[in-house]
Amino acid sequence: MGATKRGCPSHSEQPMQLKPPGSPYRCSGCREVGFGRSYHCENKNCGYILHEECATAVSFAFHRFFPRSHFELYEEAPGHRVRYCDACGKDVLGFVYHCSSTGYDLHPCCLKMKDSISDEEGLVSLQLCQKVPSKCVKCKHRNVVDGIRGWSYVSSDSGGSCCYHVWCVKQLILENLNKGYFSREIGMSESESESEREYSQLAVRSMDMVRSRRSTRRSGTMKKYTKIAVLVFKLVFSAVFGNPITAIASLVEALVSD
């Protein structure tokens, strides 16, 4: 596998190796959770791991939402106060892009979130927005917390625009991660079946976040919006955390076909 640009500080003589998506992990750089591809230190006694975005982060960057900002990568937040990411609203605990003139901060993964995402069939298309046209479907607010607007993925349909805070998606996954709904290892078929039930429960509890505001009692129409709902869940999850792990992808496909 290819070597990363940023190495392990304790074993700089060894290149870090790119690994495919798998179990959830905590990035040693930005301290955020990840599910997608990651770089690992080759030393078997070292647990240093980086998001692909953190491992290959450039020293200077820009973002279209902050045209007056010139971001520089820091390995820890500058200054003496608690800083938060202006994209997701969560605290900065490690690697961060900071602009000294405007004061804005962005997690490396948030900086690289896609401007737009859509499914292969073209049923769902979401745009990353700084200013939202309506309240978040999950938290029912425009701001993630007082004074922090946060970015959102916005889906437009004939019923109006539906917004999904990046912060709410992160919070939803973290809460369920802490409850054990993402098994790190799946062994025998019985354990695999149990894990799939856990993923199913997660998806069911998540439906409030991805459900269309339009409701109906007709089963055919409800099935259509259920399909769209799980597609939204899959797309937003992928945009925020990287490609979903196999079990989640399989779960979404199973729910769509029900």
Side-chain angles (χ1 to χ4, degrees):
M1 308 290 284
T4 174
K5 295 180 180 179
R6 185 164 283 98
C8 172
S10 300
H11 306 98
S12 57
E13 73 284 357
Q14 296 180 330
M16 292 188 46
Q17 297 299 313
L18 180 63
K19 304 292 184 180
S23 300
Y25 59 88
R26 177 80 61 175
C27 177
S28 302
C30 68
R31 309 292 181 181
E32 290 282 291
V33 169
F35 288 80
R37 299 200 305 178
S38 55
Y39 281 92
H40 296 243
C41 177
E42 282 201 308
N43 189 300
K44 64 180 181 179
N45 297 317
C46 182
Y48 195 80
I49 180 173
L50 293 174
H51 286 120
E52 185 176 12
E53 292 81 0
C54 288
T56 60
V58 296
S59 298
F60 301 93
F62 300 90
H63 197 279
R64 65 185 181 90
F65 288 164
F66 305 112
R68 297 181 180 179
S69 297
H70 299 267
F71 291 100
E72 182 177 356
L73 181 67
Y74 290 79
E75 293 196 355
E76 58 181 31
H80 302 286
R81 69 176 181 85
V82 175
R83 308 196 70 86
Y84 64 87
C85 175
D86 287 280
C88 68
K90 288 192 168 294
D91 289 347
V92 169
L93 303 175
F95 288 6
V96 62
Y97 279 103
H98 172 74
C99 177
S100 57
S101 60
T102 61
Y104 289 124
D105 299 277
L106 295 173
H107 290 129
C109 290
C110 291
L111 176 79
K112 294 188 176 182
M113 280 193 294
K114 294 181 179 179
D115 289 343
S116 62
I117 48 178
S118 59
D119 68 296
E120 294 180 355
E121 298 179 13
L123 294 175
V124 176
S125 179
L126 300 103
Q127 300 294 323
L128 184 64
C129 297
Q130 183 183 23
K131 298 179 179 180
V132 296
S134 61
K135 296 178 180 178
C136 173
V137 174
K138 175 63 176 176
C139 69
K140 314 302 182 187
H141 297 287
R142 287 180 179 269
N143 292 352
V144 293
V145 292
D146 291 341
I148 302 177
R149 178 181 298 158
W151 297 354
S152 299
Y153 274 102
V154 179
S155 172
S156 297
D157 56 26
S158 58
S161 297
C162 293
C163 304
Y164 313 95
H165 282 142
V166 171
W167 188 94
C168 289
V169 178
K170 283 191 173 185
Q171 192 64 23
L172 172 70
I173 299 302
L174 289 174
E175 288 172 357
N176 287 280
L177 178 63
N178 293 333
K179 292 177 182 178
Y181 283 97
F182 296 95
S183 301
R184 288 187 176 275
E185 294 184 79
I186 298 176
M188 302 174 62
S189 59
E190 182 178 353
S191 298
E192 185 173 357
S193 177
E194 180 179 351
S195 178
E196 288 302 315
R197 286 197 297 271
E198 291 177 346
Y199 288 125
S200 297
Q201 293 171 10
L202 168 61
V204 170
R205 291 196 310 277
S206 305
M207 295 307 289
D208 283 343
M209 185 191 76
V210 295
R211 183 179 296 136
S212 170
R213 292 183 299 175
R214 179 183 298 177
S215 61
T216 178
R217 295 181 181 274
R218 292 181 295 176
S219 59
T221 306
M222 182 60 75
K223 183 176 181 180
K224 171 187 175 182
Y225 283 111
T226 299
K227 181 175 182 177
I228 292 175
V230 293
L231 284 173
V232 171
F233 178 65
K234 178 180 179 180
L235 288 171
V236 178
F237 182 97
S238 300
V240 175
F241 288 99
N243 292 330
I245 57 180
T246 303
I248 291 181
S250 300
L251 163 67
V252 173
E253 297 301 327
L255 288 175
V256 170
S257 61
D258 284 346

